[in-house]
Amino acid sequence: MDRLPPLNPLRAFEAAGRLRSIRKAADELSVTPGAVSRQVQSLESHLGTPLFRREPREIVLTPEGEQYLAAITLHFDGIREATRKLTGQTTIEVVRIRAYTTFAVKWLIPRLSSFHADNRTTEVRLTTSVEAVDFDRENVDGAIRLGDGNWPGVEVDRLIANELVPLCSPALRRHAGLKKVGDLAGQTLLHSLVRLDDWRYWLEAAGAEGIDPYAGPKYASSTLAYQAALEGQGVMIAQKALFSEDLRARRLVQPFGPPLNRGEFTYYFIYPRNRMRNPAFRRFREWLLAQTRT
DNA sequence: GCAGGGGAGTTCCCCTGTTT
DNA sequence: AAACAGGGGAACTCCCCTGC
């Protein structure tokens, strides 16, 4: 086939695929969902290939749809860029970064203003997830991940060590008289559901006995456990590097040690090699690595 | 467990603007 | 004038969520 497919349906598909929603695509294109649905169907009919699976109340890209979307998105980006140049608008370069929620909230976002101050034409689009990133299928340039540094097929930069320590509010430490590991008995341990084993790792390393490492409230994210700790509702097990500002401001205190270092849980920045062709991405990476040294 | 509400996508009918 | 493309509105289906 050497002719272009119908471009309006292609545009509708690009929006629906990118937003994973007919309704959101309709909002973006200022048409009704019915119009987008028909446009996508007409493109599928033209191509002779289903691009979406219709699930109850949602659409899911087929593998062919994923590949097609990834390919045409590059060209839509090119059209947007060319239009910006033609109309004299300042070019905004976008760097798409994936991180864990707590890393984003406690470490990355507080520092991002310094990046934007020096890179006014670069926009960092930050998304959060605990799931592994698939650079071939997802529109992500780089991801901050915990691991042992062994990710086949991508470039890897070591960021910061992951040192686990117990943290609580100053008031709780005072009232509960927390001075040594054994004082944790009878205290509420706060957990993140995605890092449920952290208390066990730490209690074993600290030589604590008779304390159930899995007892206590469990939160969907360390960010929520952090809020509970601020409120004095218990003791959290935390990655110290993410909470240095809270420790400095004494919103949280570390009642006792020892810190636990686990080599396989170090923060790394991972990205496909081809992203280094993007100057904005290179600048972000350089800035990120510099931040870890300060 | 069940009924009702509501969200998301699809289908159908009709209208409007453009092309031939 | 007829054919066609594109889109709106309403009705429909499906099914998740919520309250009882």
Side-chain angles (χ1 to χ4, degrees):
Chain A
M1 185 187 298
D2 59 357
R3 284 167 48 192
L4 285 172
L7 296 182
N8 253 341
L10 197 64
R11 186 168 171 232
F13 165 68
E14 192 270 342
R18 172 165 43 82
L19 299 167
R20 302 295 199 266
S21 161
I22 295 286
R23 174 160 295 280
K24 288 178 183 171
D27 287 345
E28 180 174 297
L29 300 173
S30 301
V31 297
T32 61
V36 174
S37 176
R38 272 200 311 269
Q39 295 278 21
V40 171
Q41 285 172 23
S42 91
L43 181 64
E44 290 176 319
S45 163
H46 179 89
L47 299 174
T49 304
L51 299 169
F52 290 109
R53 268 198 343 264
R54 272 68 175 178
E55 301 286 337
R57 302 172 52 145
E58 67 173 342
I59 49 171
V60 179
L61 283 161
T62 61
E64 295 81 4
E66 288 271 13
Q67 285 183 11
Y68 196 51
L69 177 70
I72 67 169
T73 295
L74 293 174
H75 299 288
F76 272 95
D77 285 346
I79 292 169
R80 292 186 189 101
E81 175 65 17
T83 305
R84 273 195 294 267
K85 280 182 180 163
L86 183 72
T87 56
Q89 294 176 13
T90 303
T91 300
I92 298 294
E93 298 165 294
V94 174
V95 180
R96 297 169 178 83
I97 301 299
R98 174 77 55 81
Y100 300 99
T101 302
T102 306
F103 187 92
V105 170
K106 302 303 297 179
W107 196 91
L108 187 54
I109 291 174
R111 290 169 168 79
L112 265 183
S113 57
S114 81
F115 176 78
H116 283 130
D118 295 335
N119 297 273
R120 294 196 173 279
T121 59
T122 302
E123 177 184 320
V124 176
R125 290 197 188 150
L126 180 60
T127 56
T128 63
S129 173
V130 297
E131 303 296 329
V133 60
D134 182 342
F135 289 107
D136 292 331
R137 291 172 177 270
E138 298 180 76
N139 201 6
V140 173
D141 296 316
I144 290 155
R145 305 292 302 165
L146 280 171
D148 57 4
N150 184 24
W151 281 275
V154 294
E155 302 297 303
V156 176
D157 293 323
R158 186 178 184 280
L159 295 179
I160 54 177
N162 188 15
E163 190 174 71
L164 291 181
V165 295
L167 298 180
C168 65
S169 70
L172 180 67
R173 177 174 68 172
R174 198 163 52 246
H175 293 141
L178 298 178
K179 293 191 175 68
K180 57 185 187 305
V181 176
D183 297 335
L184 280 175
Q187 289 301 311
T188 300
L189 305 187
L190 306 172
H191 305 265
S192 163
L193 277 172
V194 294
R195 302 187 55 83
L196 259 186
D197 294 319
D198 280 1
W199 264 118
R200 179 170 63 80
Y201 294 145
W202 187 85
L203 288 168
E204 283 175 1
E209 291 178 357
I211 299 172
D212 181 353
Y214 297 104
K218 293 157 187 73
Y219 298 92
S221 153
S222 302
T223 307
L224 303 180
Y226 159 73
Q227 192 61 37
L230 279 184
E231 302 289 341
Q233 294 175 11
V235 185
M236 72 182 295
I237 188 72
Q239 299 154 46
K240 190 173 183 179
L242 305 188
F243 297 94
S244 54
E245 183 55 28
D246 295 280
L247 288 164
R248 192 193 62 75
R250 296 197 63 76
R251 287 188 289 269
L252 293 175
V253 294
Q254 180 185 334
F256 36 70
L260 170 63
N261 287 294
R262 290 182 64 86
E264 72 272 34
F265 288 129
T266 297
Y267 281 106
Y268 288 89
F269 185 49
I270 65 173
Y271 51 93
R273 174 172 293 185
N274 64 10
R275 300 304 199 273
M276 287 295 277
R277 292 203 293 265
N278 175 354
F281 178 83
R282 288 201 302 273
R283 287 196 299 276
F284 177 82
R285 173 181 169 274
E286 286 302 316
W287 170 84
L288 184 65
L289 296 180
Q291 291 301 306
T292 67
R293 294 191 286 268
T294 57

